[in-house]
Amino acid sequence: MTKFMTILLLYACTLPAHAALDASQVRQLAADDSTEKVAAIRQLTQTADPDAVRVLKAMAADSLFLAGDQAVIIDGDRAFDAASGAAVKMPDAPESITVNNRIRGELAGALAALKLFDGEREVRLASARELQSKVSPEMAPLLAKALEKESDPEITALLTLAHAQASLGDADPAVRLAAVKALAETTSPAIKSVLLPLTDKASEADDKVRYEAIAAIKAIDGRLALAENLGRVFSGLSLGSILLLGALGLAITYGVMGIINMAHGELLMVGAYSAYAMQSVFRAWLPDYIDWYLPAAIPVAFFAAALVGVVMERTVIRWLYGRTLETLLATWGLSLVLIQSARMLFGAQNVEVANPSWMSGGIELMPNLILPWNRIIIVGFALFVLLLVWLLMNKTRLGMFVRAVTQNRAMAGCVGVPTARIDTMAFALGAGIAGLGGVALSQISNVGPDMGQGYIVDSFMVVVVGGVGQLAGAVWAALGLGIFSKLLEGWAGAVIAKISILVAIIIFIQKRPQGIFALKGRFVDN
């Protein structure tokens, strides 16, 4: 036993000495004036002492009391001296310390700052992020200490910004100037609001600091505008991907059969409701695998929309080939039938189709530019479907027949191509692709009976601008229409953007009626 105590004593002697907190400083936390309490909190924060964390946490939890002239922490039936942490006798009538909203806010900022010295990287990172919005000039020395000890690049970058914000309140103009220059490199709207007061002579007397703040705000505005435009371009890409999925099928059916299918938007709706149906099945029977309902919905949506397309073609459309006006009216009637059928099956209200967890969140490229995973995956999915359609149209016998019928139906029939069967298969393929577009659309838009009405006109414009039967033209037209629509919406509003796009398309068709890519061949029916 004596040997064990000797070893323990020697070990204790090797530990670094740790002084207790200043008792008078801790006692000031119980001052009647809130300003004095705030000053005491800030003084304790500057020490970066683990004991300061203990005292401030106790104050935030209403566990700090005053017993005579001594501040104590009461934990259940035990009491501890706040300054030293030593156990003391439970006081008879401890006096509680008033903590108002101002003090609680100050405590939250102080505790966040003291976490910068925690041994866990994630704790320090969370603290550095929290301080971006609640840093005060008094924290500058503490942040400087944290910067000296920090080795993680991500945390160092955040601390540098926080230290620069804190230094804006320094009395030395040179320090403020350096802080402004450091903040000028950011792209945060919050930093812009921090710098705005420095552009006023009443708030900043030094001309160099004021002019540097004005230049910094202009630089931040430029980067914010760039990020906004990049976000619009990406939104346009995702919109163009949806239009591409809708227009691919329309381009095939219009190119092969010359049909103006006004029910094509409702085939998108069939695909979207297929996704909703699979989500309901997984929730009821496979709740542990709910995140995988979307991959399961892809083949279901394709075949459901293709089946609806076959029924439409066999019962109505096949009797109207060559009669464009009658086909337009008939397919418009079919669209009303499909809309009413959806209302009867699923109700008139929109239904909820949730994103799987692996499609939640996004990639943050800038503070005001986040690329959502659902839109990224939709763009990738559209490119994948485009690749499959290209392979089908250029590397298979069915694709060769479709291209032959598109270029010259009469000659294709003379050489043995079963044009009636190709019509049905092409219509089923186009309808199935539209169903895939509906699955993608369900992840970024409301799913309801009328959802297809907003995309049918844009899909037709893609087909006309791109060129009848031309996949490359459909791609360029869809992406161009999506991107320019979003850019114009950001600058002029949605209504003006729609009108401008329509006028531009009319002018384009007047100049180039065959579209971006003309159909190649020896003979084309007019």
Side-chain angles (χ1 to χ4, degrees):
M1 184 67 177
T2 304
K3 184 178 179 181
F4 174 75
M5 292 298 295
T6 303
I7 295 173
L8 185 60
L9 181 61
L10 291 172
Y11 175 74
C13 291
T14 62
L15 293 175
H18 180 73
L21 296 172
D22 185 351
S24 62
Q25 200 174 68
V26 176
R27 171 68 178 78
Q28 192 179 345
L29 292 173
D32 293 331
D33 188 7
S34 294
T35 303
E36 293 184 24
K37 290 180 181 178
V38 169
I41 292 171
R42 290 175 178 176
Q43 289 172 3
L44 286 173
T45 305
Q46 297 304 324
T47 64
D49 193 320
D51 282 341
V53 178
R54 170 176 55 80
V55 173
L56 295 178
K57 278 186 176 180
M59 188 175 183
D62 295 324
S63 299
L64 187 65
F65 293 83
L66 189 62
D69 291 333
Q70 184 184 25
V72 296
I73 297 173
I74 297 179
D75 181 14
D77 56 354
R78 298 179 299 170
F80 304 90
D81 180 72
S84 64
V88 296
K89 182 182 177 181
M90 176 68 71
D92 294 332
E95 181 184 348
S96 62
I97 297 175
T98 303
V99 179
N100 55 29
N101 290 335
R102 178 189 175 191
I103 302 300
R104 291 196 184 279
E106 194 71 30
L107 285 170
L111 289 171
L114 288 171
K115 287 178 183 177
L116 294 173
F117 300 91
D118 196 277
E120 295 291 334
R121 177 190 179 275
E122 295 303 320
V123 175
R124 301 198 308 277
L125 179 60
S127 176
R129 286 174 175 167
E130 185 178 352
L131 285 174
Q132 300 300 303
S133 59
K134 55 174 61 175
V135 67
S136 62
E138 291 78 12
M139 291 183 182
L142 182 70
L143 293 169
K145 290 181 184 178
L147 269 171
E148 291 177 3
K149 296 183 178 181
E150 188 57 60
S151 58
D152 186 274
E154 185 177 2
I155 300 176
T156 299
L158 292 172
L159 288 179
T160 301
L161 291 179
H163 183 261
Q165 292 184 63
S167 300
L168 291 177
D170 196 280
D172 187 355
V175 175
R176 299 199 301 274
L177 183 63
V180 171
K181 289 181 178 179
L183 294 174
E185 302 299 324
T186 67
T187 317
S188 172
I191 298 298
K192 176 185 173 182
S193 63
V194 170
L195 292 173
L196 274 174
L198 300 180
T199 61
D200 187 0
K201 194 170 185 179
S203 302
E204 177 53 65
D206 190 88
D207 291 338
K208 289 184 178 179
V209 177
R210 191 167 62 254
Y211 295 150
E212 189 66 33
I214 294 172
I217 289 176
K218 289 182 179 179
I220 292 175
D221 282 337
R223 286 191 290 272
L224 289 174
L226 175 62
E228 289 178 0
N229 288 330
L230 289 177
R232 293 188 186 110
V233 169
F234 180 74
S235 297
L237 283 175
S238 61
L239 173 62
S241 300
I242 298 294
L243 294 179
L244 178 61
L245 291 173
L248 279 178
L250 199 60
I252 293 173
T253 56
Y254 185 63
V256 172
M257 294 169 278
I259 295 171
I260 301 177
N261 182 14
M262 296 300 295
H264 196 75
E266 279 57 56
L267 296 174
L268 286 169
M269 178 261 293
V270 170
Y273 272 115
S274 298
Y276 170 72
M278 290 307 299
Q279 176 187 256
S280 302
V281 169
F282 271 67
R283 281 180 176 173
W285 302 101
L286 298 168
D288 294 337
Y289 302 95
I290 186 64
D291 280 346
W292 299 102
Y293 85 87
L294 193 61
I298 291 174
V300 173
F302 179 85
F303 287 110
L307 179 61
V308 172
V310 169
V311 172
M312 289 169 55
E313 196 275 337
R314 285 291 182 180
T315 56
V316 177
I317 296 174
R318 69 178 304 181
W319 310 107
L320 300 174
Y321 289 148
R323 297 154 64 183
T324 305
L325 181 60
E326 287 88 340
T327 304
L328 187 149
L329 294 174
T331 53
W332 178 65
L334 288 174
S335 74
L336 298 179
V337 171
L338 291 173
I339 290 173
Q340 190 59 36
S341 299
R343 287 175 178 160
M344 293 173 61
L345 290 173
F346 300 101
Q349 302 299 320
N350 292 339
V351 296
E352 176 193 2
V353 179
N355 291 137
S357 60
W358 46 271
M359 288 181 69
S360 302
I363 301 174
E364 183 176 353
L365 298 183
M366 296 181 183
N368 64 328
L369 177 59
I370 298 176
L371 307 184
W373 276 115
N374 58 348
R375 292 184 178 272
I376 294 174
I377 292 173
I378 285 173
V379 173
F381 178 66
L383 294 176
F384 177 70
V385 173
L386 175 64
L387 175 62
L388 293 182
V389 172
W390 182 84
L391 291 174
L392 177 68
M393 296 296 291
N394 292 276
K395 304 297 181 181
T396 66
R397 186 177 181 85
L398 173 62
M400 181 179 65
F401 284 171
V402 169
R403 286 184 285 119
V405 173
T406 301
Q407 292 184 16
N408 193 323
R409 172 180 289 271
M411 183 59 70
C414 291
V415 297
V417 175
T419 55
R421 188 185 308 168
I422 294 301
D423 288 339
T424 302
M425 297 180 70
F427 202 89
L429 175 62
I433 295 172
L436 296 180
V439 174
L441 188 59
S442 70
Q443 300 303 300
I444 61 173
S445 180
N446 294 324
V447 176
D450 301 319
M451 63 179 297
Q453 298 292 307
Y455 292 90
I456 181 63
V457 175
D458 289 341
S459 297
F460 268 114
M461 287 195 294
V462 168
V463 173
V464 172
V465 172
V468 177
Q470 298 296 312
L471 294 183
V475 173
W476 286 107
L479 297 182
L481 184 62
I483 292 172
F484 284 119
S485 294
K486 289 299 179 182
L487 288 175
L488 287 174
E489 283 179 14
W491 296 333
V495 176
I496 299 299
K498 284 285 186 184
I499 295 173
S500 301
I501 291 290
L502 182 60
V503 170
I505 289 175
I506 292 173
I507 295 173
F508 176 82
I509 293 174
Q510 290 292 325
K511 299 294 183 180
R512 192 176 176 85
Q514 70 272 29
I516 297 175
F517 296 96
L519 188 65
K520 296 179 180 179
R522 294 176 179 270
F523 175 80
V524 178
D525 290 328
N526 293 318

